[in-house]
Amino acid sequence: MKLWGGRFTKETNQLVHNFNASISFDQKFYKQDIRGSIAHVTMLSKQGILTEQEKDSIISGLTSIKDDIENGTLIIDGTSEDIHSFVEAHLIERIGDVGKKLHTGRSRNDQVALDMKLYTRDEIEETDLLLKKLLTTLLSIMEKNLDTYMPGFTHLQKAQPVTLAHHLGAYFEMFKRDRSRLFDIRQRMNTCPLGAGALAGTTYPLDRDYTAALLDFSGPTLNSMDSVSDRDYLIEFLSALSTIMMHLSRFCEEIILWNSNEYRFIELDDSYSTGSSIMPQKKNPDIAELIRGKTGRVYGALNSLLVTMKGLPLAYNKDMQEDKELSFDAMDTVKGCLALFDGMLSSIRFCKPTMAESAKNGFTNATDAADYLVNHGVPFRDAHSIVGQLVLHCIEKNIALDDMSLEEFQSVSPVFQSDIYDAISLKTCVEKRLTIGAPGKQAMEKILVQYRQYLSQQ
Ligand code: ARG
């Protein structure tokens, strides 16, 4: 059934119907569409626009449609233009003429704006739960690895030693920020567009506050033209999803590096790796690579919607129908990636001796050797230069700073004493770093208390 045949004298061209129709993808929010319609008729009857009986009949019709879609007896086919027409047509078929009153005081413009908001709100919640699960996994790995030493890098060159707990803590912070972004978006978007009509409100005495409350919104939107043409919240959500993917992708990149033959910091579980059809020795990090790869597709959705929206005059324009497929794809992609990543991360085996050995090489304690001199009264710039000379000496002899004799140390600076060895040991280098946010165990333990508290409260 068409919702708008009256002023037309010709049938719609079949190609036009196919091009115009959105049912193949907007059927994804049938549940939200029906929920919105139930709230709408509940409000209409409270306002005396529909009788109690009409409302009950419409609600039972809508509920039966939802049930039948869910139990598989009602198939959403391609004959309707969109999910809104599909539901209305089936309602009329089931309950007769009273079904024709459903659309009183409403347009598909405010209806689709509502459906998309309800759907996005649900997606925000699901994404948040997955992020929380990932944070819980991260925290449990961190708790077990406060003493797992590894090199920290800058420019992908060994810089200073850190711990695995500290390194993973950086990702904990990122995903925590992602959750707070989702929270902000949900707060800001949580106003109900239903009742805005096509663009200019309606002449019926709708109670928009009531509809908003029925649908758990903080209140109604305040400008009917904006209500039907606002997709800011989707752009914000796609941006937050892109940032989540950026974080996952950086993490994946590290997992791929750590899993390489050169690093060997980790071993991926067999159940999260794949093999090669030709090279029998291969065990590939395909899941991490795919998550890294899918990041592009989520960025694409954000960019695409920004471009779609940029030239649209007020109010509703059909261009906006293009918000759906790419948003749905991005939402599903991110949820899939989060779930997969969590499984992969929790099954990783960390090769601690290799990580510690790597942290010992590459002069990661050079800064601490310079700090030793500073603590003995040498100005930092001079200390930097002295240790630079020592490093050069070690590179020539192919040894580490710790391998030098005290005489070798003293030949460059007499300030060095035998306690230098303890001062530049791997353990000292890490454990002495106790400023807030630093890798030392005591500093990290305080942060973990905060993280545990955060996860139990939010
Ligand atoms: N399928 C449309 C969309 O997704 C629903 C709104 C249609 N409104 C209209 N005036 N044609 O945007």
Side-chain angles (χ1 to χ4, degrees), residues 378-441:
V378 180
F380 181 77
R381 196 47 59 213
D382 293 338
H384 187 284
S385 161
I386 291 166
V387 178
Q389 291 170 53
L390 291 176
V391 168
L392 198 58
H393 173 75
C394 288
I395 292 171
E396 276 162 14
K397 292 187 71 181
N398 195 23
I399 56 171
L401 285 174
D402 319 56
D403 299 331
M404 285 194 309
S405 67
L406 188 56
E407 290 71 44
E408 283 175 294
F409 271 111
Q410 289 177 336
S411 70
V412 183
S413 168
V415 177
F416 287 116
Q417 297 303 318
S418 59
D419 58 351
I420 179 63
Y421 295 103
D422 185 47
I424 61 171
S425 77
L426 184 55
K427 192 169 163 56
T428 313
C429 290
V430 176
E431 301 310 342
K432 283 254 171 81
R433 292 189 148 70
L434 293 172
T435 42
I436 296 173
K441 188 170 181 171

Side-chain angles (χ1 to χ4, degrees), residues 25-26 29 112 116 320-328:
F25 46 88
D26 64 17
F29 51 51
V112 77
M116 204 57 189
M320 288 157 73
Q321 180 167 289
E322 285 294 307
D323 64 354
K324 289 174 197 66
E325 282 162 292
L326 51 91
S327 298
F328 294 155

Side-chain angles (χ1 to χ4, degrees), residues 22 26 81-82 84 108-109 112 316 318 320-321 324:
S22 53
D26 64 17
E81 180 183 333
D82 51 30
H84 323 298
R108 273 186 300 168
N109 297 352
V112 77
Y316 177 83
K318 189 77 173 201
M320 288 157 73
Q321 180 167 289
K324 289 174 197 66

Side-chain angles (χ1 to χ4, degrees), residues 57-158:
S57 157
I58 293 177
I59 291 180
S60 75
L62 288 169
T63 309
S64 76
I65 290 172
K66 177 171 169 288
D67 291 345
D68 289 351
I69 292 174
E70 278 162 9
N71 65 31
T73 49
L74 180 57
I75 307 293
I76 303 176
D77 58 29
T79 48
S80 300
E81 180 183 333
D82 51 30
I83 189 66
H84 323 298
S85 333
F86 177 86
V87 172
E88 195 173 321
H90 280 271
L91 182 70
I92 295 166
E93 195 182 292
R94 287 180 183 210
I95 66 168
D97 278 354
V98 61
K100 295 180 180 167
K101 296 194 173 185
L102 167 66
H103 212 53
T104 313
R106 186 175 78 170
S107 154
R108 273 186 300 168
N109 297 352
D110 57 345
Q111 186 179 358
V112 77
L114 171 72
D115 292 0
M116 204 57 189
K117 270 196 168 179
L118 290 175
Y119 190 86
T120 303
R121 239 175 36 175
D122 292 344
E123 287 293 312
I124 288 178
E125 197 175 312
E126 282 181 36
T127 309
D128 185 61
L129 280 177
L130 287 163
L131 280 168
K132 183 166 184 183
K133 183 152 185 294
L134 178 54
L135 285 172
T136 309
T137 302
L138 267 174
L139 184 58
S140 79
I141 302 176
M142 288 169 73
E143 281 166 340
K144 291 182 212 112
N145 288 286
L146 288 165
D147 307 299
T148 305
Y149 300 132
M150 64 180 287
F153 297 83
T154 62
H155 314 270
L156 206 52
Q157 310 266 342
K158 287 181 194 174

